[in-house]
Amino acid sequence: MQEELKWFASFPKELEEFRGKHIALIGKRVVASGDNAIEVLEKAKKEFPKDNPVLAYVPREETLILSGD
C-alpha cells in the first residue's frame, strides 16, 4: 500500500484523466475507475482477485496532500 500512496501523492500526469473519479490502484497502475467507490473496488477485485487494490479519490482541482513521512 505504501508504494501506491506515494505514487498517488506525487500526482503523476497519468492521474489527470481521472479527476473527480474514484480509482483502484495496484502498484503504480490504475486498474479501475468510476463515480462509485464500492463499484470501483468490486471491479478491481473481480479483475485482480489475488491482489489487494488501494482505493483513492482524485480531486477535481489541485489539492494539497500532507504526509506524515
Side-chain angles (χ1 to χ4, degrees), residues 18 23-33 40-41 43-45 47-48 51-54:
F18 300 105
I23 60 172
L25 299 168
I26 295 176
K28 295 180 180 179
R29 199 168 64 140
V30 177
V31 297
S33 66
V40 169
L41 179 61
K43 182 178 179 183
K45 287 202 161 272
E47 291 185 34
F48 301 92
D51 293 311
N52 190 19
V54 173

Side-chain angles (χ1 to χ4, degrees), residues 11 15-21 57-62:
F11 202 82
L15 294 181
E16 285 288 333
E17 68 181 281
F18 300 105
R19 283 198 178 277
K21 302 284 184 189
Y57 178 77
V58 183
R60 294 181 193 280
E61 300 176 15
E62 290 188 28

Side-chain angles (χ1 to χ4, degrees), residues 5 8 11 21-22 30 38 43 50-51 64:
L5 293 177
F8 178 78
F11 202 82
K21 302 284 184 189
H22 296 275
V30 177
I38 294 171
K43 182 178 179 183
K50 294 181 180 180
D51 293 311
L64 177 65

